[in-house]
């Protein structure tokens, strides 16, 4: 990152000075790309992340980013539970330079139980890479995450991975994408060699051939050889002619890249890869640089969008505690929306109107933390011990702004949490408040049950495991969980509460954000009450797949 801005911050505010600041800011915005990889577990997201970082030469050998079982050092698997299950619950943001650009890759939790968290992460990105396993095609979690991207207007580049393994035909995979999600696939490259015999990629815009060579275990960058069509045919024979024919077929059906349609979410450029062998990875990075949008204005509650060149503003999209057991700190991750961030600047927390000092600002790469001196729109910055900040909150300087809150999802799992020992009650309460404000789970209360054993509401049951593990590990409180027999929630209001509470199989609670929720034993109970009491307010909540 440049230090031009901090060194020029001499207090003068001449027109010339501010013009030069603006042009530096504009240049920094233009060279940034902030994206997330969305995929079903096991499609190869961790492997691809490593490969992307390797290509950007950030790490010398693949294996230092995520490291699940059998891989090298683990950096993002910070919880025992993650290690045991081989899943990544925590999100980390990776920043690397690539060809004069700054790329921010925001990690999304792969498991559907954490879709609320994933949704928050997706509010922080401008583009997404949809990673598909060539052998499996579209899988449930990919579909769900894709819907979130569509809902938020995030353009998607599709990567069909594991082409080194036997799998389906490329045309069949494209058909599936088009039929099931209505997104027109427009391949930028076409595989030469069937799935399982991946020789290289035909670059469709100039009909040239990028030939790959395997390296041991894909641990280093795969050498690429660039050949023209004639040389490619001489080298690969039928595999090349088949690729050319299929590419022409695509052209005839109009499946060529169209930048406007891609940005409008109607088409998706497609690349074939083997993240494991580092094939096609460089092409993914190039596509991100060339096609994915740079950071742009964001809608505010007021209706006036915050432009990227406006004074500093940022949105908090994730709060995470306990990442570093040695420090027990709490990090709030913000995505910078506008202006220049300089460490130490005092900004305003829109939700409270209070000043917020940003002395401890970090980038977090797995367990490595580096102090951030300055950052620009698109960048992800972690603020240490930012206890007042919660997902959806806004920070700004000078010109006031507040971004819309991030919606909570409809919970489908409910349980009562209790401290095993009454002597731990104080820690228990403190822990609940903290986990609630981080958005790990929703916390519901009502007068009948009292405050000693709050009801936890989750989108997926694994959220409960995170709660009990963290209660024990971070707060030293042993807890028990008793499932409550509810499975459907609706938003209601104070006027409807008494009538609802009189019904069997229904209970009304208030969530920490003030929302009043009615829980029903099952959907039939809900349907019956809707029919019997049509005047009651019962609104559906945002579902995980909306
Ligand atoms: P995820 O983060 O999306 O859950 O997937 P991850 O990268 O962990 O990959 C899941 C499995 O798929 C891993 O195998 C990984 O090596 C393999 N894989 C990823 N990309 C490719 C690819 O392009 N080609 C092939 N053939 N395999 C790929 P594993 O045996 O579960 O784990 P590991 O012991 O190899 O780490």
């Amino acid at each position: 990152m440049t230090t031009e801005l901090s060194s020029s911050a001499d207090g003068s505010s001449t027109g010339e000075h501010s013009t030069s600041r603006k042009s530096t800011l504009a240049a920094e915005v233009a060279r940034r790309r902030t994206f997330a990889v969305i995929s079903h577990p096991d499609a190869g997201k961790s492997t691809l992340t490593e490969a992307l970082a390797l290509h950007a030469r950030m790490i010398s050998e693949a294996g230092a980013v995520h490291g699940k079982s059998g891989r090298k050092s683990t950096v993002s698997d910070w919880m025992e539970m993650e290690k045991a299950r081989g899943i990544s619950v925590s999100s980390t943001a990776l920043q690397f330079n690539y060809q004069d650009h700054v790329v921010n890759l925001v990690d999304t939790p792969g498991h559907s139980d954490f879709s609320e968290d994933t949704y928050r992460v997706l509010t922080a990105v401008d583009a997404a890479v949809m990673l598909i396993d060539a052998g499996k095609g579209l899988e449930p979690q990919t579909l769900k995450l894709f819907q979130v991207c569509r809902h938020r207007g995030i353009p998607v580049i599709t990567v069909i991975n594991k082409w080194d393994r036997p799998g389906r035909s490329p045309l069949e995979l494209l058909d599936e994408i088009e039929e099931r999600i209505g997104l027109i696939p427009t391949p930028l490259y076409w595989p030469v060699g069937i799935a399982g015999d991946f020789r290289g990629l035909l670059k469709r815009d100039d009909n040239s051939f990028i030939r790959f060579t395997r390296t041991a275990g894909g641990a280093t960058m795969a050498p690429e050889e660039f050949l023209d069509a004639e040389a490619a045919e001489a080298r690969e024979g039928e595999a090349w002619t088949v690729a050319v024919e299929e590419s022409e077929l695509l052209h005839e059906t109009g499946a060529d890249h169209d930048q406007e349609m891609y940005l409008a979410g109607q088409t998706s450029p497609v690349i074939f890869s083997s993240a494991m062998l580092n094939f096609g990875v460089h092409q993914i990075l190039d596509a991100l640089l060339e096609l994915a949008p740079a950071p742009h204005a964001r809608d505010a509650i007021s209706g006036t969008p915050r432009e990227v060149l406006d004074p500093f503003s940022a949105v908090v999209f994730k709060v995470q505690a306990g990442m570093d057991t040695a420090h027990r700190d709490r990090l709030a991750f913000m995505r910078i929306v506008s202006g220049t961030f300089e460490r130490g600047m005092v900004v305003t927390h829109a939700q409270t109107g209070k000043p917020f000092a940003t002395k401890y600002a970090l980038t977090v790469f797995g367990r490595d933390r580096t102090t951030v001196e300055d950052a620009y729109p698109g960048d992800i910055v972690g603020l240490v011990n930012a206890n007042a900040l919660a997902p959806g909150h806004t920070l700004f300087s000078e010109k006031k702004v507040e971004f819309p809150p991030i919606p909570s999802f409809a919970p489908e799992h409910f349980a009562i949490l209790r401290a095993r020992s009454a002597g731990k009650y104080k820690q228990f309460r403190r822990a609940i408040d903290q986990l609630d404000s981080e958005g790990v789970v929703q916390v519901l209360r009502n007068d009948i049950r009292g405050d000693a054993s709050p009801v936890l509401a989750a989108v997926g049951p694994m959220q409960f495991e995170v709660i009990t593990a963290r209660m024990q590990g971070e707060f030293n409180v042993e807890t028990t969980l008793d499932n409550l027999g509810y499975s459907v929630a609706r938003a209601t209001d104070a006027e409807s509460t008494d009538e609802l509470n009189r019904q069997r199989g229904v209970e009304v609670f208030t969530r920490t954000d003030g929302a009043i929720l009615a829980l029903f034993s099952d959907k039939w109970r809900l349907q019956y009450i809707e029919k019997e009491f049509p005047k009651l307010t019962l609104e559906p909540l945002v579902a995980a797949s909306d």
Side-chain angles (χ1 to χ4, degrees):
M1 257 177 252
T2 93
T3 51
E4 213 173 308
L5 286 178
S6 26
S7 58
S8 66
D10 58 6
S12 66
S13 58
T14 60
E16 202 182 315
H17 178 75
S18 101
T19 313
S20 98
R21 273 180 81 100
K22 279 225 160 160
S23 63
T24 308
L25 175 58
E28 290 295 342
V29 171
R31 71 191 193 105
R32 273 170 171 72
R33 295 292 179 276
T34 301
F35 78 106
V37 177
I38 57 167
S39 64
H40 194 84
D42 263 2
K45 184 160 63 84
S46 316
T47 313
L48 179 66
T49 304
E50 286 161 9
L52 290 169
L54 170 73
H55 268 264
R57 294 172 196 277
M58 187 169 137
I59 47 179
S60 55
E61 238 187 319
V65 184
H66 280 66
K68 289 195 200 161
S69 57
R71 296 210 197 119
K72 285 193 181 158
S73 67
T74 92
V75 239
S76 94
D77 289 1
W78 54 277
M79 266 179 68
E80 287 304 319
M81 192 185 123
E82 292 186 305
K83 282 187 214 151
R85 290 179 173 268
I87 55 161
S88 171
V89 177
S90 55
S91 299
T92 47
L94 203 62
Q95 186 181 67
F96 50 85
N97 292 311
Y98 180 70
Q99 290 185 0
D100 215 23
H101 279 68
V102 178
V103 180
N104 293 297
L105 167 52
V106 192
D107 188 19
T108 53
H111 198 283
S112 62
D113 280 13
F114 303 106
S115 42
E116 202 167 32
D117 205 21
T118 304
Y119 187 93
R120 292 184 201 129
V121 168
L122 290 175
T123 64
V125 302
D126 304 309
V129 164
M130 175 166 77
L131 189 67
I132 295 175
D133 181 327
K136 298 189 176 145
L138 287 173
E139 296 179 86
Q141 181 68 357
T142 333
L143 286 172
K144 267 196 183 179
L145 293 170
F146 169 74
Q147 299 301 358
V148 175
C149 290
R150 168 169 282 167
H151 181 71
R152 298 202 52 82
I154 300 170
V156 172
I157 292 175
T158 301
V159 173
I160 300 182
N161 190 36
K162 303 198 185 181
W163 203 254
D164 58 291
R165 281 215 303 225
R168 295 163 52 185
S169 97
L171 289 169
E172 191 191 319
L173 285 160
L174 297 197
D175 279 349
E176 187 185 10
I177 295 172
E178 184 155 5
E179 275 162 27
R180 290 187 61 194
I181 57 181
L183 189 66
I184 301 168
T186 54
L188 302 171
Y189 300 89
W190 197 246
V192 177
I194 54 166
D197 179 24
F198 196 7
R199 307 194 193 174
L201 291 170
L202 182 163
K203 190 164 179 289
R204 293 191 61 226
D205 62 359
D206 64 4
N207 257 2
S208 63
F209 179 43
I210 304 150
R211 190 170 182 280
F212 298 132
T213 306
R214 277 178 187 247
T215 57
T220 51
M221 274 169 67
E224 293 177 340
E225 213 181 319
F226 298 88
L227 306 175
D228 63 19
E230 211 178 314
E233 189 175 352
R235 191 74 160 264
E236 302 297 343
E238 203 188 329
W240 174 257
T241 30
V242 169
V244 171
E245 274 165 27
E246 288 179 338
S247 172
E248 279 166 5
L249 190 74
L250 290 171
H251 176 65
E252 279 160 28
T253 58
D256 295 332
H257 173 69
D258 178 315
Q259 183 66 8
E260 248 173 63
M261 285 176 79
Y262 155 65
L263 292 178
Q266 292 164 346
T267 62
S268 177
V270 180
I271 299 169
F272 293 78
S273 75
S274 165
M276 194 182 76
L277 298 178
N278 279 303
F279 290 0
V281 175
H282 156 200
Q283 286 69 25
I284 298 170
L285 280 172
D286 288 350
L288 278 165
L289 262 46
E290 281 165 33
L291 312 179
H296 43 83
R298 189 184 191 95
D299 289 341
I301 291 181
S302 65
T304 313
R306 184 75 159 194
E307 301 295 336
V308 284
L309 300 185
D310 277 343
F312 167 82
S313 70
V315 63
V316 176
F317 64 97
K318 184 169 182 67
V319 173
Q320 196 155 60
M323 286 178 82
D324 183 343
T325 37
H327 292 100
R328 300 236 172 278
D329 54 4
R330 172 178 152 124
L331 278 173
F333 289 95
M334 63 174 177
R335 138 106 197 203
I336 297 175
V337 174
S338 63
T340 303
F341 172 77
E342 288 172 45
R343 187 172 70 86
M345 72 197 287
V346 178
V347 299
T348 306
H349 177 209
Q351 275 64 23
T352 57
K354 288 191 179 153
F356 184 91
T358 60
K359 192 168 163 203
Y360 301 104
L362 305 168
T363 53
V364 179
F365 170 48
R367 282 200 189 114
D368 287 343
R369 294 155 172 226
T370 317
T371 302
V372 172
E373 291 304 334
D374 46 35
Y376 301 93
D379 288 346
I380 309 297
V381 174
L383 297 167
V384 180
N385 286 333
N387 291 332
L389 301 182
H393 284 188
T394 304
L395 294 171
F396 67 88
S397 81
E398 299 171 52
K399 197 170 139 191
K400 186 172 189 296
V401 67
E402 188 173 339
F403 298 110
I406 304 175
S408 294
F409 280 10
E412 288 172 14
H413 302 269
F414 305 90
I416 303 178
L417 188 71
R418 294 190 177 89
R420 266 192 207 276
S421 142
K424 293 272 183 171
Y425 184 60
K426 249 172 130 177
Q427 287 100 308
F428 176 74
R429 283 286 299 267
R430 198 163 52 81
I432 289 280
D433 287 347
Q434 179 169 324
L435 297 169
D436 187 10
S437 70
E438 278 178 42
V440 177
V441 74
Q442 300 176 28
V443 180
L444 312 180
R445 297 182 167 91
N446 65 22
D447 291 345
I448 305 159
R449 289 184 186 270
D451 215 14
S453 317
V455 169
L456 306 184
V459 176
M462 240 195 255
Q463 284 176 267
F464 293 148
E465 286 184 47
V466 173
I467 290 277
T468 41
R470 288 188 56 185
M471 277 280 177
Q472 171 87 61
E474 273 166 56
F475 300 94
N476 198 18
V477 182
E478 249 188 86
T479 51
T480 54
L481 261 182
D482 291 310
N483 282 323
L484 269 181
Y486 300 116
S487 64
V488 189
R490 285 286 182 272
T492 185
D493 55 19
E495 291 74 52
S496 309
T497 300
D498 287 346
E499 188 62 66
L500 285 167
N501 272 334
R502 275 196 286 275
Q503 303 302 315
R504 202 165 34 85
V506 188
E507 191 172 347
V508 179
F509 290 89
T510 305
R511 195 168 60 191
T512 313
D513 64 0
I516 306 178
L517 303 191
L519 309 190
F520 299 83
S521 50
D522 51 53
K523 66 175 191 230
W524 296 281
R525 197 75 212 136
L526 167 66
Q527 280 164 7
Y528 169 79
I529 287 166
E530 279 177 325
K531 207 163 126 239
E532 289 296 306
F533 304 95
K535 292 218 173 96
L536 294 177
T537 304
L538 291 171
E539 304 285 344
L541 294 142
V542 183
S545 55
D546 279 359

